[in-house]
Amino acid sequence: MNTSPITEPTEFAIEAKGLSKHFGNKIAVNKLNLTIPKGSIYGFLGPNGCGKSTSIRLLTGLLEASEGNVSILGSPLLGHEESLKKRIGYMTQKFSLYDNLTVQENLSFVGAIYGFAGKRKKNRLEELLALYDLEKQAKQFAGSMSGGQKQRLALACATLHSPELLFLDEPTSAVDPENRREFWERLFDLCATGTTILVSTHYMDEAERCHALAILENGNKRADGSPQALMDAMPATVVEVSGNKLRQLKQTLTQHPEILSAAQIGAHLRVLVKKKVQDPLNFISQLSNGRETVLARPSLEDVFVTCTGDRYVD
Ligand SMILES: Nc1ncnc2c1ncn2[C@@H]1O[C@H](COP(=O)(O)OP(=O)(O)OP(=O)(O)O)[C@@H](O)[C@H]1O
Ligand SMILES: [Mg+2]
């Protein structure tokens, strides 16, 4: 039994130092360090298999770490998993509610797990049905709902006990852009009441909505910070080229060691030039044989490109 005392109040909802998880020879999470302030929305951005779900499971205490230390809401996670469970919510990547129970029955079941009963449970269920716009679906089987409705139900269940810290693992992967936007408005409503949210995503636009994020690749954190800070610190300048034969130009440009990447976006070629190039506009102009070139503002996708894969710039 861990008898270490609960620590002093902290401004951080999550602190992780050297957090690692090995599955046999596979290193799913490699020495992850995190400091996530209370009341913020923090993102994990990365491709399939980069370790998003494993990191979330480690931070919820559902999976035992191979190495490292974690503090959640000011308490060491190790030895306090049970008491912390009441203070955190977790929406799993795969819909994990009961298809053959109605919306109301699912909520009622989760409510019972958290010790809600009688009038308190009835009131909380009514509140959640209204808040997540599920009143009309209350008697519908969860299995027959649309992706967006299921996701609202999953969020209602994950927040039923008003957790201080909420983990959302790719919550919008089955949801159209309008519902995603709506979903994010709800996350900011929760954030405004003091809830800290850690959300994993594949989508750049979602990552840009976070207060701060970590870019993960192969279990490693490649970069972290606010979207703006990441863009400001990007080790490349963005130049857009327009004109004809852009596919051929791309082939030429990507051979060049000072060019990190070139990708076509509509009628432009978006070229990432290493920062050490003194005059990137002139540099690309010369290589582009008179095509039009302009400097462009970096995006989070550019940051992602510069800090992952072969183009990783230290
Ligand atoms: N229980 C397990 N046993 C063995 N390997 C595992 C296990 N769970 C995850 N892995 C491996 O760890 C790595 C990270 O997996 P994880 O599920 O955390 O990725 P992810 O970023 O959530 O991916 P996705 O975007 O596809 O959900 C993968 O290579 C995966 O195969
Ligand atoms: Mg996952």
Side-chain angles (χ1 to χ4, degrees):
M1 199 179 81
N2 189 321
T3 52
S4 56
I6 307 261
T7 51
E8 288 298 303
T10 167
E11 61 199 290
F12 296 116
I14 299 175
E15 288 177 278
K17 285 202 188 79
L19 183 63
S20 299
K21 182 66 190 177
H22 306 171
F23 294 110
N25 290 335
K26 168 91 205 166
I27 303 177
V29 177
N30 189 22
K31 299 187 176 70
L32 181 65
N33 295 325
L34 293 169
T35 41
I36 303 182
K38 281 184 177 166
S40 66
I41 301 187
Y42 192 88
F44 278 164
L45 174 68
N48 292 127
C50 70
K52 301 183 294 297
S53 298
T54 306
S55 301
I56 288 176
R57 279 191 221 118
L58 292 170
L59 296 169
T60 54
L62 290 170
L63 197 61
E64 205 179 314
S66 308
E67 286 167 14
N69 293 311
V70 177
S71 282
I72 298 291
L73 300 167
S75 302
L77 178 59
L78 196 65
H80 295 100
E81 292 88 344
E82 282 311 309
S83 58
L84 282 168
K85 255 182 210 165
K86 299 185 189 100
R87 301 172 67 195
I88 65 179
Y90 175 30
M91 186 169 154
T92 54
Q93 182 166 359
K94 196 169 165 291
F95 185 69
S96 55
L97 298 169
Y98 294 95
D99 280 345
N100 55 353
L101 293 185
T102 65
V103 167
Q104 189 142 24
E105 287 165 347
N106 267 296
L107 283 166
S108 176
F109 180 72
V110 174
I113 290 174
Y114 285 108
F116 282 72
K119 189 117 186 87
R120 181 167 165 251
K121 182 158 100 174
K122 185 173 172 289
N123 289 347
R124 183 66 178 143
L125 260 55
E126 279 172 9
E127 197 174 65
L128 287 166
L129 288 171
L131 190 62
Y132 290 100
D133 200 15
L134 289 165
E135 284 161 312
K136 288 199 195 105
Q137 277 87 30
K139 302 247 174 323
Q140 191 176 332
F141 286 112
S144 69
M145 295 200 301
S146 73
Q149 290 166 343
K150 277 188 181 173
Q151 165 248 33
R152 291 209 301 277
L153 173 59
L155 185 61
C157 287
T159 55
L160 190 143
H161 59 300
S162 307
E164 292 158 66
L165 172 60
L166 184 59
F167 293 92
L168 306 171
D169 196 357
E170 289 189 45
T172 63
S173 48
V175 177
D176 66 48
E178 195 182 321
N179 276 300
R180 257 167 62 195
R181 193 184 149 84
E182 184 53 36
F183 185 82
W184 273 83
E185 285 301 303
R186 289 168 200 275
L187 298 192
F188 278 103
D189 287 341
L190 284 166
C191 182
T193 64
T195 312
T196 309
I197 300 175
L198 192 158
V199 56
S200 73
T201 183
H202 287 142
Y203 299 115
M204 300 293 164
D205 65 313
E206 287 200 329
E208 282 195 37
R209 291 173 193 262
C210 296
H211 293 114
L213 67 140
I215 295 180
L216 304 178
E217 188 187 37
N218 289 332
N220 295 298
K221 185 172 74 174
R222 296 293 188 210
D224 66 357
S226 70
Q228 193 58 53
L230 287 168
M231 290 186 244
D232 292 345
M234 199 176 73
T237 309
V238 188
V239 179
E240 277 185 354
V241 186
S242 40
N244 57 13
K245 300 201 176 150
L246 292 180
R247 305 309 295 159
Q248 275 155 280
L249 179 65
K250 176 192 158 126
Q251 295 299 330
T252 316
L253 293 181
T254 48
Q255 312 270 317
H256 210 291
E258 308 303 340
I259 293 176
L260 292 167
S261 113
Q264 195 162 348
I265 316 269
H268 307 290
L269 201 57
R270 196 170 172 86
V271 187
L272 301 184
V273 186
K274 284 188 184 169
K275 261 266 153 60
K276 64 180 175 192
V277 173
Q278 296 279 333
D279 184 351
L281 196 57
N282 185 39
F283 173 70
I284 295 296
S285 275
Q286 305 242 327
L287 292 170
S288 306
N289 303 322
R291 293 178 182 85
E292 193 187 327
T293 51
V294 286
L295 287 173
R297 285 165 46 125
S299 69
L300 206 48
E301 185 166 331
D302 299 325
V303 174
F304 188 82
V305 167
T306 52
C307 70
T308 60
D310 301 340
R311 296 145 313 234
Y312 176 49
V313 183
D314 239 335

